[in-house]
Amino acid sequence: MAAPIIELDDVSVTFREGGRTVDAVRHVSLNVQPGEIFGIVGFSGAGKSTLVRTVNLLERPTGGRVVIDGQDVTQLRGRQLRELRKSIGFVFQGFNLIGNVTVGANIDFALRAGGVPKERRRARTRELLDLVGLGQKADSYPSSLSGGQQQRVSIARALANEPRILLCDEATSALDVETTEEILALLRRINRELGITIVFITHQLEVAQRLFDRVAVMEHGEVIEQGTTFDVFAEPTHETTKALAERFLGVAVPRQLLPELPAGRLIELRYRGDAAFEPIISTVAQHHAVAVNVLHGTIEYFGTRPVGTLVVLVTATQPGQDGARAVDEALDDLAGRVLGFRELTSRTADGIGLEVDEVLEQEVTA
Ligand SMILES: Nc1ncnc2c1ncn2[C@@H]1O[C@H](COP(=O)(O)OP(=O)(O)O)[C@@H](O)[C@H]1O
Ligand SMILES: [Mg+2]
């Protein structure tokens, strides 16, 4: 692997407010490789924004080191700090455009701050707006643009001084689904064509799935899990990552459907979508006196790699104790052959007793 472009080494950030201290980031170490799209996910309050702000020292770590391109920048001040910030663009959830000047003036402002001479700024503004597909909007005011267009302007502005790194904090969280997809496509293009390394924070897994090469999951200021996006979400090891993945990948079985099912046990299985799954089901059905019925299935792609989710009903082919034991054994066997295994129901005397958890319930009612 190449030398990392961003290296966070045991970074901590503690806020003091009155007599209270908040450990917003605790001993985080991670590396971002040049040219990759690295994501940070986690629930609200996990410390994501604070962590990403340490990269350009908008937040100075109270412990640890920030290394950019091999240089320890943790203690930079003054002109050197300004130079560093020029090489790192920042995009926010709320766009943060200046409202009382035109789109072109917003970009011009950033160019001026970056020391670009007046005679070059006009052409460069034009070039940046063309890059984000807003070549016609230089004279418009931000308030006359849609949310997606405003975010494009803010991306153009972040790129004004030719940064090598782009930090995005919930940059799509205020946008609808189609607009989010457009912004993600733009960011992918910027990453590929300009070779800009992107660090993107989000609580939206559908964004993580589409955009990130690698991902770190944060909770209570710590990174609890990191790896390729596929590995982290196809085979999460930490409970919080499992909960995030479940929210996203979990299959909703309509409650109305359940009473009509014959007796049996309802199981949600997760498996690598590129592995053949049919043989697993038939092997389990052959080796144990059970029938396995597939009720529902989905495939989600992480980059180009598929993760499958199936809901199956496993029923005994013989009555009584023997049948129940065969089902138990079959489920153990099945659980050992898949990435994820979750029981959605338990068997009761009258058929299926519901043990649908909160997540499923939310999805069913949504
Ligand atoms: N400037 C600040 N002063 C005091 N506490 C802060 C400050 N910024 C963030 N926090 C606290 O740090 C924790 C992490 O916040 P944040 O980094 O914004 O999380 P996230 O972006 O994952 O939602 C939260 O408990 C938050 O209230
Ligand atoms: Mg945040």
Side-chain angles (χ1 to χ4, degrees):
M1 250 196 248
I5 186 165
I6 302 170
E7 197 181 341
L8 301 181
D9 175 20
D10 199 30
V11 166
S12 296
V13 179
T14 302
F15 292 112
R16 280 173 225 292
E17 273 189 328
R20 228 168 44 97
T21 64
V22 180
D23 292 316
V25 174
R26 305 171 199 235
H27 302 290
V28 167
S29 293
L30 55 83
N31 289 335
V32 177
Q33 298 301 322
E36 80 175 328
I37 303 184
F38 189 94
I40 300 171
V41 301
F43 292 113
S44 174
K48 305 181 297 295
S49 293
T50 308
L51 182 69
V52 83
R53 288 160 60 85
T54 66
V55 172
N56 67 351
L57 299 167
L58 279 175
E59 211 67 75
R60 211 173 276 273
T62 39
R65 296 186 317 144
V66 177
V67 180
I68 304 293
D69 257 336
Q71 185 198 4
D72 184 343
V73 299
T74 326
Q75 300 308 329
L76 287 191
R77 315 252 162 198
R79 197 178 61 78
Q80 285 179 311
L81 180 57
R82 285 197 297 279
E83 285 300 314
L84 173 78
R85 292 208 177 126
K86 251 173 67 176
S87 70
I88 302 178
F90 212 123
V91 178
F92 303 87
Q93 174 172 354
F95 323 136
N96 294 22
L97 299 173
I98 306 167
N100 59 358
V101 302
T102 63
V103 162
N106 266 274
I107 309 257
D108 186 75
F109 190 76
L111 290 167
R112 208 162 15 152
V116 178
K118 191 171 178 19
E119 64 274 14
R120 289 233 310 275
R121 293 208 296 265
R122 229 187 129 73
R124 179 76 181 133
T125 297
R126 188 52 204 255
E127 192 182 302
L128 285 159
L129 288 175
D130 281 342
L131 175 70
V132 300
L134 291 178
Q136 307 307 312
K137 296 288 184 186
D139 297 326
S140 304
Y141 283 83
S143 59
S144 71
L145 304 183
S146 69
Q149 289 173 327
Q150 290 186 52
Q151 194 58 300
R152 285 169 186 274
V153 176
S154 123
I155 290 169
R157 181 183 57 180
L159 297 177
N161 295 304
E162 303 180 40
R164 297 191 50 210
I165 299 170
L166 187 62
L167 308 175
C168 304
D169 189 350
E170 303 277 7
T172 54
S173 301
L175 305 174
D176 62 32
V177 177
E178 293 89 51
T179 314
T180 293
E181 193 43 65
E182 285 169 29
I183 295 292
L184 298 185
L186 174 62
L187 290 172
R188 273 192 297 261
R189 185 156 63 79
I190 286 167
N191 169 251
R192 267 201 313 266
E193 291 176 10
L194 307 179
I196 294 177
T197 304
I198 297 179
V199 179
F200 193 108
I201 292 181
T202 186
H203 67 278
Q204 301 172 292
L205 237 60
E206 59 277 24
V207 170
Q209 171 204 23
R210 289 186 168 80
L211 190 64
F212 303 164
D213 299 316
R214 290 194 304 141
V215 66
V217 185
M218 283 190 83
E219 182 179 55
H220 302 314
E222 291 178 78
V223 168
I224 54 174
E225 201 159 343
Q226 60 174 309
T228 68
T229 311
F230 178 84
D231 288 340
V232 167
F233 291 111
E235 207 166 357
T237 56
H238 192 284
E239 285 309 315
T240 298
T241 319
K242 284 184 187 168
L244 274 166
E246 199 49 56
R247 267 195 187 185
F248 177 58
L249 295 170
V251 169
V253 178
R255 191 178 265 280
Q256 311 84 281
L257 191 71
L258 295 176
E260 291 167 21
L261 296 173
R265 287 168 66 181
L266 197 60
I267 310 294
E268 185 190 85
L269 303 170
R270 186 140 307 135
Y271 62 100
R272 279 181 193 264
D274 47 7
F277 197 72
E278 285 295 319
I280 296 184
I281 290 198
S282 50
T283 303
V284 169
Q286 269 164 28
H287 288 171
H288 309 273
V290 298
V292 183
N293 289 300
V294 176
L295 301 182
H296 191 81
T298 59
I299 299 254
E300 287 287 344
Y301 284 83
F302 288 81
T304 56
R305 304 175 66 190
V307 176
T309 301
L310 283 183
V311 174
V312 298
L313 183 71
V314 181
T315 45
T317 50
Q318 53 197 18
Q321 291 271 316
D322 285 350
R325 195 172 323 112
V327 170
D328 282 342
E329 286 166 7
L331 293 186
D332 277 350
D333 191 357
L334 201 51
R337 294 168 186 265
V338 293
L339 296 176
F341 179 97
R342 193 168 73 115
E343 177 135 26
L344 301 180
T345 65
S346 68
R347 197 159 182 269
T348 68
D350 358 306
I352 289 174
L354 276 178
E355 257 180 34
V356 182
D357 69 16
E358 216 188 330
V359 171
L360 190 67
E361 212 139 86
Q362 281 170 3
E363 284 171 354
V364 171
T365 50

